[in-house]
Amino acid sequence: MNLELHLAKRIIFGSDINKSASRPIIRIALFSVALGLAVMLISVMVVTGFQNEITKKVTGFGGHIIIGNFSSNESYEAEPIDKTKINTAKILRIPHVTHIQEYAGKAGIIKTKDEIQGVVLKGVGRDYDWRYMQQNLVEGNTLHFDDSIKSDEIFISQSIASLLKLKLHNKVFFYFIEGGNQLIRKFAIAGIYNTGFEDVDHLFVFCDMRQIQRLNNWEPYEIGGYEVLLDDFKNLDDATEQVYLATGYQFNTKNIRDNYPQIFSWLGLIDTNVYIIIGLMLIVACINMISTLLIIILENTSDIGVLKALGASDANIRKVFFYVSVYLVAGGIILGNILGIGIAAIQYYFHVIQLPRDTYYISYAPISFSLFRIMMLNIGTMLLCVIVLLIPAMIVSRIQPIKAIRFE
């Protein structure tokens, strides 16, 4: 029989009415660990969800890496590049690269009977990956191109359509300035999208890239640049370097983080908030655990004296309270996981917590279940609490049997 474990169980589950003060204290300590871990888990899962969803929105529209021309011009109309000088097959062989697609841009104005709006016409080709935009399709269809005929269709955002009072299949006029001359083109709306990423939705309209080439008087081999898609955002920095080496110094290679620094800075600030929350929750949990164990030791001081008088060593006594500590920590962690993951699962499936989309780029608080992060939080919480709880257990070694027996 394990005497220390038996004594620990009596302290935790015993029904001695003279020592009833520690019972609610034990429950409070158990719940404090559970609540602290649940808050940490939910915070990490929500922040990870935000980072994943917003990153998908940014990269889903413009790719992870952009290859273009060097230019001091910061407008959306970049100088063209000669696509024959870029070995796309070599880029596709780079680890983590999944796709490469052509694009071009042209600033213009949409004019209707009552409204006017500046936009950027984004030209894409047959190689464009429409999977992300199909997920955000509101009406109609994405663009489909014929090999021999330029398409006169456009793919417009819901925010621009609402602003200009446009509907599916409406004809709209675009006005451009090229070489000091005004150019007018008429397009038909083939589809309407809504990504929730207002920086994109309020600005970009998709069209056939051959329309951009014609407007800019480009040759068929001239394009605005390439967008490179990766399998995972975590590989962005390494892949950017590899793409730069594959394209050469004559082309400008930058990643999506360079294009939207304000977005990724904001995501970094959210990380800081989570670290602060985790730190505060751990401090509160540790203080509660230390207080609980000190109360239990104080309440059982006379019993400790009797055990020492009967020959129990300090190590034996410390082992008893170590078992009590493990029960509190393990029980709190189990309850915390049930509570935290349970609440996160409800939010994941039912989107209970709603958010203003124009502020957070998404209409609900997103959840991302990362097994690695969950395990690290559990292990870190358990190790820290157990280590901290060894401190009050050391007090046992200073208790003298005679004084402890007389203690009331």
Side-chain angles (χ1 to χ4, degrees):
M1 178 180 177
N2 189 328
L3 179 61
E4 293 87 351
L5 182 59
H6 174 71
L7 293 174
K9 288 181 178 178
R10 288 197 60 183
I11 292 174
I12 297 167
F13 304 109
S15 57
D16 188 344
I17 58 173
N18 294 324
K19 296 177 181 179
S20 59
S22 64
R23 306 295 177 259
I25 299 298
I26 289 174
R27 296 190 187 99
I28 291 171
L30 197 67
F31 184 72
S32 71
V33 174
L35 186 60
L37 181 60
V39 170
M40 289 188 287
L41 287 172
I42 293 171
S43 299
V44 169
M45 286 188 280
V46 169
V47 167
T48 305
F50 263 117
Q51 292 173 333
N52 291 345
E53 290 299 320
I54 294 174
T55 300
K56 284 179 183 177
K57 288 181 180 294
V58 178
T59 58
F61 178 83
H64 294 85
I65 302 170
I66 298 92
I67 304 170
N69 213 335
F70 285 102
S71 174
S72 58
N73 184 5
E74 295 297 329
S75 73
Y76 289 98
E77 297 188 34
E79 293 295 324
I81 65 172
D82 185 346
K83 67 179 183 179
T84 62
K85 294 182 179 180
I86 295 181
N87 189 343
T88 56
K90 184 178 180 181
I91 294 174
L92 285 170
R93 289 195 295 268
I94 295 174
H96 308 298
V97 171
T98 59
H99 187 66
I100 183 169
Q101 56 199 23
E102 303 173 357
Y103 81 96
K106 181 71 174 177
I109 295 173
I110 303 178
K111 187 178 184 301
T112 62
K113 183 178 179 180
D114 302 314
E115 302 289 344
I116 187 171
Q117 175 69 21
V119 297
V120 174
L121 207 58
K122 180 175 180 177
V124 297
R126 296 188 65 187
D127 59 352
Y128 191 79
D129 187 346
W130 289 102
R131 287 178 296 178
Y132 174 75
M133 300 309 297
Q134 285 173 340
Q135 294 172 5
N136 294 278
L137 185 65
V138 176
E139 277 188 278
N141 298 291
T142 56
L143 302 181
H144 301 280
F145 305 129
D146 187 89
D147 287 335
S148 56
I149 303 174
K150 292 187 294 294
S151 173
D152 291 327
E153 293 183 329
I154 56 173
F155 190 56
I156 197 169
S157 73
Q158 190 175 42
S159 59
I160 294 177
S162 299
L163 180 66
L164 300 178
K165 300 179 177 61
L166 297 173
K167 296 181 179 179
L168 193 65
H169 306 307
N170 281 172
K171 309 288 185 182
V172 291
F173 286 95
F174 280 69
Y175 295 81
F176 306 94
I177 300 297
E178 181 62 31
N181 298 318
Q182 177 179 281
L183 304 177
I184 304 174
R185 295 289 183 272
K186 184 171 70 172
F187 295 96
I189 299 175
I192 298 174
Y193 71 89
N194 182 9
T195 67
F197 186 39
E198 296 302 320
D199 290 355
V200 169
D201 289 359
H202 279 306
L203 189 61
F204 288 95
V205 176
F206 289 84
C207 73
D208 188 337
M209 189 167 63
R210 288 170 293 186
Q211 294 284 1
I212 306 296
Q213 291 172 325
R214 180 186 176 190
L215 287 166
N216 290 336
N217 294 316
W218 289 354
E219 298 296 333
Y221 58 82
E222 291 182 313
I223 61 174
Y226 281 105
E227 296 172 345
V228 180
L229 278 62
L230 307 179
D231 57 2
D232 197 326
F233 186 80
K234 296 177 182 177
N235 305 311
L236 182 65
D237 293 331
D238 290 338
T240 302
E241 183 177 355
Q242 293 297 318
V243 171
Y244 171 76
L245 294 175
T247 56
Y249 64 89
Q250 67 269 37
F251 296 105
N252 185 17
T253 302
K254 57 183 179 180
N255 57 43
I256 200 69
R257 195 183 287 123
D258 300 324
N259 278 7
Y260 296 96
Q262 70 280 5
I263 297 294
F264 292 99
S265 296
W266 175 58
L267 293 178
L269 289 175
I270 295 177
D271 268 339
T272 303
N273 294 337
V274 171
Y275 296 145
I276 294 173
I277 291 172
I278 290 175
L280 291 175
M281 290 299 101
L282 287 174
I283 290 171
V284 171
C286 289
I287 291 174
N288 284 335
M289 297 296 288
I290 292 173
S291 302
T292 301
L293 203 57
L294 288 174
I295 291 171
I296 294 172
I297 292 172
L298 183 65
E299 194 175 46
N300 291 274
T301 300
S302 59
D303 292 340
I304 294 171
V306 172
L307 289 172
K308 283 193 172 185
L310 293 174
S313 65
D314 290 338
N316 295 131
I317 306 299
R318 282 197 296 267
K319 199 172 182 181
V320 172
F321 291 99
F322 178 76
Y323 283 139
V324 175
S325 304
V326 170
Y327 164 78
L328 293 175
V329 175
I333 285 177
I334 292 172
L335 290 176
N337 278 281
I338 294 172
L339 182 63
I341 296 176
I343 293 174
I346 292 172
Q347 176 63 22
Y348 181 83
Y349 288 107
F350 301 106
H351 301 162
V352 177
I353 301 175
Q354 298 292 315
L355 300 173
R357 192 166 186 170
D358 57 344
T359 302
Y360 293 96
Y361 305 110
I362 190 168
S363 59
Y364 60 91
I367 298 292
S368 176
F369 293 96
S370 171
L371 182 60
F372 174 76
R373 291 172 183 261
I374 293 173
M375 291 298 296
M376 290 302 295
L377 273 177
N378 277 270
I379 293 171
T381 302
M382 177 172 284
L383 288 177
L384 182 61
C385 288
V386 169
I387 290 171
V388 169
L389 286 173
L390 291 176
I391 298 173
M394 298 298 292
I395 297 174
V396 174
S397 61
R398 299 189 178 185
I399 296 177
Q400 298 178 8
I402 296 176
K403 291 183 179 180
I405 293 172
R406 293 176 180 174
F407 182 79
E408 290 296 337

